[in-house]
Amino acid sequence: MNALPSLAIGVLALQGAFSAHIERLRAIGADARSVRLPVDLETLDGLVLPGGESTTMSNLLRTFDLVEPLRRFIASGRPVFGTCAGMILLADRILDGRPDQIALGSCGIVVRRNGYGRQVDSFETDIDVAGLSDPFHAIFIRAPRIEQISAEVEVLARHEGDPVLVRAGSVLAASFHPELTNDDRIHRLFADMVRDATSNERSPAR
Amino acid sequence: MSGSSSSVGSFPVKRGLAEMLKGGVIMDVVTPEQAKIAEDAGACAVMALERVPADIRRDGGVARMSDPEMIEGIQAAVSIPVMAKARIGHFVEAQILQALGVDFIDESEVLTPADEAHHIDKFRFVVPFVCGATNLGEALRRISEGACMIRSKGEAGTGNVVEAVRHLRSILGDIKKIGTADSAELFDWAKKLQAPLPLVQEIAETGKLPVPLFCAGGLATPADAALAMQLGAEAVFVGSGIFKSDHPAPRAKAIVEATTHFDNPDILAKVSRGLGAPMTGIGMDEINQRYAERGW
């Protein structure tokens, strides 16, 4: 296989755990960049929507005119990975959210905000992830719960029956925080999606 | 098998919420209505308390944990994390706040200390704690007691950013110096800072605190928030600065935007316009009680 130029992966850096994602992505050799304005999206191969407060991010996405550019980015087929609040942004519908919260409708899921309870109920646990040989240690912080999935959604991991890592086409979403552990396997999985998408784009045979 | 080893209240789980608050603004609120205004403006969390520090300063007397009914009212009003303050060393106030399900406890010098020698053993709690610090030694002592977020103390209720800057510079300046120290010098650093050696060694290796470092105490404008962020804070607390100003809602929103775009002067210029008067503020030579001196 030909060497590809380093993958440019953006991390939405309006609020939340964006620096942890950037560190993780750099550790696996990606060219990770923070995204705060629409212009920052232009040259990216993939994008991470981090955890944080989804209401805060919704406000800032609107104020700085990022909503439509983000929709176009996702529609272009370039891979997007949402964790926790980022997964809420990608959802089709949000339960227990604010009525004005943004739901981009990009990954065929219905989520309940703080579906596992308050911070005192936040937890860590091992989960089995499709395609990974050993369990992944997952940290859930005031996590959203995936309550419904559409037929096209592939469930990659569950916790006590509920989906916690899902994939729908070029969109990956996790209710937990792979960026908070030193285990980079899920970030690698996403980087593989980005690499596949860029090589398809560059290949003459479509 | 998955699901067999779930645990709550571990250090990574508690520290994780501090990670989620980075790049955001935590706002002091005294009513559910104010909490809604803060959430609408984009606060990443609210601090529920009975009086903002400026009023505590004005009223004097003993400042204690807020009434649980008032905290529950604020929890019911918003979907973002709700923090609340306990007095330094008052572990029973902390137990009550944990029972209420607050998301973070601030063991705070703004309230009147309950213990003149001991802080709360924060490892005994499932709920995460934030503590104030004026210097690196104080920060590391709080971390060794289980704090999973440090905020530079500043001087609460003054609307004057000078102390916040002093404390941030002190903490971050010493972290930089430790980064250039050799292994033998680290023993002396631990002694000077009155801090556990392993934490000093960890800083020498990583170049940063083992928990997020936020800034508090006297921030009143979007420019103040951006200043704290440019100096190296990872998020900001704004107490009296919002609801003691002329137009709290637009000011709160502007401070949120300035915290995100802290290194973009064009955006800072735009969001700083037409916000009305900030809180009046007071000089450090005009106050008779420095809250930052509380805590040991």
Side-chain angles (χ1 to χ4, degrees):
Chain A
M1 201 166 142
N2 292 333
L4 286 169
S6 169
L7 300 169
I9 301 183
V11 180
L12 188 70
L14 298 176
Q15 190 273 321
F18 49 86
S19 51
H21 273 293
I22 290 174
E23 268 177 48
R24 238 357 98 240
L25 289 166
R26 288 190 177 148
I28 61 170
D31 170 15
R33 309 170 186 176
S34 31
V35 172
R36 293 195 171 91
L37 294 169
V39 61
D40 301 332
L41 286 169
E42 279 166 15
T43 54
L44 298 176
D45 301 314
L47 178 67
V48 173
L49 307 178
E53 279 310 309
S54 54
T55 53
T56 304
M57 287 189 221
S58 274
N59 278 8
L60 291 163
L61 284 170
R62 280 205 186 91
T63 307
F64 294 98
D65 300 321
L66 272 156
V67 183
E68 284 316 308
L70 203 53
R71 283 188 201 281
R72 282 199 298 274
F73 186 93
I74 298 167
S76 75
R78 283 173 286 179
V80 176
F81 179 22
T83 56
C84 196
M87 178 177 93
I88 298 176
L89 289 174
L90 291 167
D92 286 5
R93 202 149 59 84
I94 303 164
L95 309 173
D96 292 344
R98 284 167 57 96
D100 59 348
Q101 238 183 297
I102 293 168
L104 294 166
S106 309
C107 69
I109 56 173
V110 176
V111 301
R112 187 175 299 278
R113 232 179 130 206
N114 301 332
Y116 293 90
R118 294 179 181 279
Q119 174 61 17
V120 291
D121 308 305
S122 293
F123 60 97
E124 52 182 331
T125 191
D126 287 341
I127 56 173
D128 293 319
V129 177
L132 300 184
S133 49
D134 296 314
F136 190 91
H137 192 69
I139 299 179
F140 292 78
I141 309 288
R142 285 169 50 92
R145 192 189 285 266
I146 299 177
E147 299 214 338
Q148 287 172 42
I149 55 171
S150 324
E152 75 277 12
V153 176
E154 184 188 354
V155 177
L156 301 179
R158 291 180 186 272
H159 171 65
E160 292 179 351
D162 294 322
V164 293
L165 179 67
V166 297
R167 181 177 172 171
S170 60
V171 175
L172 185 68
S175 48
F176 57 96
H177 292 282
E179 79 283 7
L180 295 185
T181 57
N182 287 323
D183 188 340
D184 58 21
R185 288 177 295 165
I186 291 179
H187 283 84
R188 283 186 189 280
L189 200 121
F190 178 63
D192 287 344
M193 286 169 60
V194 178
R195 187 173 292 109
D196 291 349
T198 49
S199 58
N200 287 344
E201 209 168 79
R202 283 164 192 162
S203 142
R206 282 169 196 267
Chain B
M1 283 301 288
S2 68
S4 57
S5 61
S6 282
S7 64
V8 298
S10 63
F11 196 71
V13 168
K14 294 197 281 189
R15 190 188 180 288
L17 182 56
E19 277 304 317
M20 296 310 130
L21 299 173
K22 280 185 178 177
V25 183
I26 299 151
M27 302 183 191
D28 278 5
V29 297
V30 300
T31 62
E33 292 70 35
Q34 287 189 356
K36 289 299 285 182
I37 292 171
E39 187 181 50
D40 288 347
C44 67
V46 291
M47 176 77 70
L49 70 178
E50 247 153 36
R51 292 176 291 171
V52 294
D55 290 336
I56 294 175
R57 202 173 272 292
R58 190 198 58 209
D59 297 349
V62 175
R64 310 178 179 89
M65 176 190 80
S66 298
D67 187 324
E69 198 170 290
M70 175 267 172
I71 294 170
E72 282 170 343
I74 287 171
Q75 285 175 316
V78 295
S79 62
I80 55 179
V82 175
M83 300 186 169
K85 289 183 194 289
R87 283 180 266 178
I88 289 174
H90 206 315
F91 52 87
V92 175
E93 284 188 348
Q95 290 165 3
I96 292 170
L97 292 173
Q98 175 165 290
L100 291 172
V102 304
D103 295 297
F104 234 105
I105 295 177
D106 183 4
E107 185 181 17
S108 176
E109 71 282 0
V110 170
L111 305 184
T112 311
D115 188 321
E116 292 188 329
H118 309 95
H119 282 251
I120 297 170
D121 176 359
K122 293 165 272 287
F123 285 111
R124 298 177 65 119
F125 289 80
V126 167
V127 63
F129 278 75
V130 52
C131 288
T134 58
N135 58 54
L136 183 59
E138 205 178 350
L140 294 181
R141 289 194 292 281
R142 298 295 84 79
I143 293 167
S144 70
E145 297 156 0
C148 47
M149 179 201 293
I150 293 296
R151 54 173 175 76
S152 55
K153 281 180 178 172
E155 197 50 56
T158 62
N160 188 336
V161 79
V162 66
E163 294 299 301
V165 169
R166 184 203 312 282
H167 300 156
L168 257 186
R169 281 201 184 274
S170 170
I171 294 168
L172 292 165
D174 278 353
I175 289 174
K176 259 186 248 165
K177 287 182 206 151
I178 287 174
T180 62
D182 67 37
S183 60
E185 289 169 330
L186 297 181
F187 296 95
D188 190 45
W189 269 105
K191 192 173 78 180
K192 262 196 317 217
L193 293 173
Q194 299 180 53
L197 178 64
L199 286 178
V200 174
Q201 289 168 326
E202 187 180 335
I203 285 175
E205 207 172 293
T206 63
K208 56 183 189 187
L209 278 187
V211 303
L213 173 63
F214 291 13
C215 179
L219 281 61
T221 66
D224 287 350
L227 174 66
M229 296 294 286
Q230 286 199 29
L231 285 170
E234 296 176 291
V236 298
F237 286 80
V238 183
S240 320
I242 290 170
F243 289 99
K244 285 288 166 188
S245 73
D246 277 3
H247 304 297
R251 177 166 298 270
K253 186 165 183 285
I255 292 176
V256 169
E257 291 163 8
T259 303
T260 295
H261 295 282
F262 65 92
D263 58 355
N264 187 326
D266 293 331
I267 291 179
L268 295 176
K270 203 170 133 198
V271 306
S272 298
R273 269 172 239 254
L275 298 177
M279 72 179 284
T280 311
I282 38 182
M284 288 309 124
D285 47 359
E286 298 169 72
I287 60 175
N288 48 22
Q289 168 75 67
R290 290 214 179 202
Y291 295 152
E293 290 168 0
R294 296 167 167 174
W296 1 98

